[in-house]
Amino acid sequence: MPVYCPLNIKSLSTEEFGSFDYQVMGHIFASQNEIGRLADERIYQADVAQRLEAAGMASEIETPIELVHKTFVKELSLDLVVSQRAVYELKTVSALNANHVAQLLTYLYLLDLPRGKLVNFRSPSVESKFVNAPIPREERCGFSVSDDGFRGDRNLLQLVVDLVRDWGASLSVSLYHQAIVHLLGGEDAVERMLPLSRDGKTLANQRFHLVDDRIAFELTAFAKLDNDDYRGQLQRLLDLSPLAAIEWINVGSHTITFQTVERT
């Protein structure tokens, strides 16, 4: 797998992680109790790391993960790794949400780790959430392809399939999107602001990502594909644009679906 990390992080069972996390969380609560809840994320990161070190628990902050596919290279970083046994993603936000879960889940899948933890220092009391990565790499790379409704360029289909075979499904959709844009020639070649018009009157410009001058692509990662709803929304957008079609690609956990939405 084209993922590089300088640490060899141990995979813990649920029980092992819970016991280890109990120790770590004591220092996390102590950090917020002393510093308060209004500091920047990097302050808590440094403070928790120092507390852990003082307690004899080695800690690493901003550990890099390098993700590669062909000529695309993306560097990510882990907020906190404790004793090469547990990964923590630290936040200073009003509340943890699905995007934060997806971010940590991506890190866990890339490192083949079964679990990690989100921690938010901004809430009145430390907010935390266990995140489990339940799908093994073999299953994430063993997806099926559904292309019955696809009438587009097969090179685009193959580009996406090769990418997901390399990395596996269930990662953050933004990572796939960045790689696809790069492989299609980069943002300057792919991203365009195009006018939307209704009843012959221009409204404003809308950002699209193009396969060619007349065809855009849309990338999603819905667990359950609701063809009627989202396809209908794409159809509305398309019909206001100068484009001929939108290639809709949904990277699900077990199936990648390719559909072509054409102007009505």
Side-chain angles (χ1 to χ4, degrees):
M1 186 177 183
V3 179
Y4 307 95
C5 178
L7 300 181
N8 183 21
I9 304 171
K10 184 178 180 181
S11 179
L12 301 183
S13 68
T14 301
E15 293 75 16
E16 289 172 329
F17 191 97
S19 176
F20 187 77
D21 174 68
Y22 181 81
Q23 302 175 59
V24 174
M25 289 302 296
H27 298 286
I28 287 174
F29 281 112
S31 179
Q32 194 208 44
N33 286 340
E34 185 166 341
I35 294 175
R37 61 187 180 92
L38 300 181
D40 290 340
E41 180 182 308
R42 65 181 182 274
I43 303 299
Y44 299 111
Q45 185 184 50
D47 186 62
V48 171
Q50 290 175 15
R51 291 172 185 271
L52 291 168
E53 291 282 354
M57 304 172 75
S59 63
E60 303 282 347
I61 61 174
E62 299 300 325
T63 300
I65 304 175
E66 188 176 72
L67 182 60
V68 179
H69 177 73
K70 296 183 179 178
T71 60
F72 177 78
V73 180
K74 177 73 173 181
E75 187 167 292
L76 308 169
S77 63
L78 305 174
D79 282 347
L80 179 67
V81 181
V82 185
S83 300
Q84 297 196 45
R85 293 167 64 85
V87 173
Y88 290 81
E89 183 67 19
L90 310 181
K91 299 296 179 186
T92 50
V93 295
S94 57
L96 296 173
N97 61 40
N99 290 330
H100 303 135
V101 173
Q103 180 186 6
L104 179 53
L105 188 59
T106 288
Y107 297 161
L108 297 175
Y109 278 138
L110 291 175
L111 296 171
D112 287 329
L113 296 174
R115 54 193 54 84
K117 198 169 192 182
L118 283 169
V119 174
N120 179 27
F121 289 91
R122 189 69 79 230
S123 51
S125 180
V126 172
E127 178 189 16
S128 63
K129 181 180 180 64
F130 289 107
V131 175
N132 295 317
I135 310 175
R137 171 167 167 74
E138 181 179 355
E139 187 174 334
R140 292 192 305 108
C141 293
F143 55 84
S144 61
V145 175
S146 174
D147 61 355
D148 291 345
F150 182 68
R151 293 175 291 281
D153 186 345
R154 304 300 292 187
N155 291 324
L156 173 65
L157 182 148
Q158 195 60 54
L159 180 152
V160 175
V161 170
D162 289 346
L163 171 65
V164 184
R165 291 263 186 244
D166 202 12
W167 292 354
S170 299
L171 304 183
S172 172
V173 70
S174 66
L175 284 179
Y176 301 121
H177 192 275
Q178 291 172 46
I180 292 167
V181 168
H182 171 84
L183 295 170
L184 289 175
E187 287 187 6
D188 291 343
V190 174
E191 187 175 302
R192 290 287 185 276
M193 298 296 291
L194 300 178
L196 297 189
S197 301
R198 182 175 60 81
D199 297 332
K201 296 180 180 180
T202 299
L203 302 172
N205 289 337
Q206 168 79 25
R207 180 178 289 103
F208 290 93
H209 293 89
L210 304 184
V211 180
D212 60 35
D213 289 342
R214 299 297 311 283
I215 299 175
F217 73 90
E218 175 76 4
L219 190 68
T220 57
F222 298 134
K224 295 182 179 180
L225 200 59
D226 188 336
N227 291 349
D228 293 336
D229 181 28
Y230 201 78
R231 184 185 177 93
Q233 298 302 318
L234 288 177
Q235 187 73 63
R236 294 181 187 186
L237 193 64
L238 174 63
D239 287 345
L240 296 174
S241 79
L243 295 168
I246 297 176
E247 307 296 3
W248 177 22
I249 306 160
N250 188 76
V251 182
S253 298
H254 300 95
T255 305
I256 303 181
T257 305
F258 295 84
Q259 296 185 43
T260 301
V261 181
E262 297 176 307
R263 290 183 69 89
T264 55

